[in-house]
């Protein structure tokens, strides 16, 4: 590949053919940011591993991988990332959407994955020092505030049960405890205990905050996830 500061490649085959040596040549840092591990698939990983040959520094490059929760849709995906971590990758999960799926190599080269068009994804290879430094700063800022894989899985959301959703509706509607307990068919003592459990699970210090927090997490009171503090 020539020395142009910015080059756009079409499809992973062209990426590997023309830029595979960059992956294999990483010596100090291999920094990945992706919504889905499949964005940087087998070809990229093979090219990178090809560089892990005898004669390299014993510890090799630092391998940092930053994913969004989209990379963990099921148990199979969790095991896949766990295997990556077991082989030396430092993996973190970023709650916020990533502006761009990116690989940064040795602070010298950035590769941005575009949105697939008619089945072909474009990859922009950037070697402008200022641009690479700026992209790396953005990725590192997200990295610094993201939990590692194990911590993210420990915080894995629990499902919000039907009873908890009904209680949240009572809180949102402004019912008194007495009225809500009667409508839900439970004793006042039980209702208040359920409210306290729900507030604890949501990390809320007030009933108003509990309702707001639930709406924030779920986009409305539905069947979505909550922090896994207390089973609900």
């Amino acid at each position: 590949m020539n020395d142009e500061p910015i080059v756009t490649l079409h499809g992973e085959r062209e990426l590997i053919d023309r830029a595979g040596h960059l992956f294999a040549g990483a010596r100090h840092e291999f920094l990945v940011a992706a919504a889905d591990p499949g964005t940087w698939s087998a070809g990229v990983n093979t090219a990178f591993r090809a560089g892990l040959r005898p004669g390299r520094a014993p510890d090799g490059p630092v391998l940092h991988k930053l994913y969004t929760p989209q990379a963990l849709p099921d148990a199979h995906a969790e095991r896949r990332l766990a295997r990556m971590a077991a082989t030396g990758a430092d993996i973190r999960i970023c709650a916020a959407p990533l502006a761009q799926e990116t690989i940064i190599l040795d602070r010298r080269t950035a590769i941005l994955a575009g949105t697939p068009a008619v089945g072909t994804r474009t990859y922009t290879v950037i070697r402008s020092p200022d641009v690479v430094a700026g992209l790396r700063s953005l990725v590192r800022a997200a990295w610094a505030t993201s939990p590692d894989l194990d911590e993210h899985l420990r915080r894995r959301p629990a499902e919000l049960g039907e009873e908890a959703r009904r209680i949240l509706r009572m809180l949102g509607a402004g019912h008194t405890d007495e009225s809500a307990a009667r409508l839900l068919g439970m004793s006042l003592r039980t209702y208040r205990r359920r409210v306290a459990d729900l507030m604890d699970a949501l990390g809320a210090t007030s009933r108003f905050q509990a309702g707001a927090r639930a709406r924030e997490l779920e986009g409305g009171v539905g069947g979505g996830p909550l922090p896994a503090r207390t089973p609900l």
Side-chain angles (χ1 to χ4, degrees):
M1 196 167 73
N2 57 33
D3 293 327
E4 293 179 59
I6 300 178
V7 176
T8 298
L9 306 177
H10 299 273
E12 188 176 273
R13 184 68 269 164
E14 186 177 15
L15 173 67
I16 299 306
D17 288 346
R18 298 185 59 191
H21 64 285
L22 299 174
F23 298 106
R27 292 295 182 270
H28 307 291
E29 180 184 62
F30 193 97
L31 177 59
V32 177
D36 182 345
T39 301
W40 310 102
S41 60
V44 169
N45 292 325
T46 299
F48 172 65
R49 287 194 297 269
L52 301 177
R53 57 188 181 274
R56 293 190 64 163
D59 50 352
V62 174
L63 181 55
H64 288 156
K65 295 192 173 187
L66 180 67
Y67 293 116
T68 68
Q70 181 180 330
L72 292 163
D74 51 38
H76 175 75
E78 291 175 15
R79 290 192 295 270
R80 180 182 180 185
L81 292 193
R83 286 195 297 270
M84 288 184 194
T87 58
D90 190 354
I91 297 175
R92 295 191 181 187
I93 307 298
C94 177
L98 297 173
Q100 187 76 49
E101 295 186 285
T102 307
I103 284 179
I104 299 174
L105 306 167
D106 289 344
R107 305 190 184 198
R108 295 182 300 185
T109 304
I111 303 173
L112 308 183
T115 302
V118 195
T120 300
R121 189 188 293 271
T122 60
Y123 299 90
T124 302
V125 182
I126 301 171
R127 286 185 285 189
S128 170
D130 289 345
V131 177
V132 173
L135 290 168
R136 183 178 181 276
S137 293
L138 291 173
V139 174
R140 292 296 303 183
W143 175 271
T145 58
S146 300
D148 65 23
L149 178 62
D150 286 344
E151 183 179 353
H152 174 81
L153 292 178
R154 284 196 298 271
R155 296 177 181 177
R156 182 164 36 196
E159 288 300 315
L160 182 61
E162 176 58 30
E163 181 182 89
R165 295 198 297 274
R166 292 169 65 198
I167 290 173
L168 283 174
R169 293 188 189 103
M170 293 294 123
L171 293 174
H175 288 284
T176 64
D177 287 359
E178 292 78 3
S179 172
R182 183 173 63 256
L183 289 169
L184 294 175
M186 61 179 67
S187 71
L188 179 60
R189 181 177 178 180
T190 297
Y191 174 78
R192 286 175 171 167
R193 185 172 65 248
R194 295 284 192 271
V195 169
D197 290 343
L198 182 56
M199 289 173 59
D200 180 65
L202 289 167
T205 57
S206 70
R207 296 181 179 204
F208 175 82
Q209 188 181 36
R213 179 66 174 145
R215 286 189 293 274
E216 173 190 329
L217 289 168
E218 300 184 293
V221 179
L226 291 172
R229 295 188 180 190
T230 306
L232 301 176

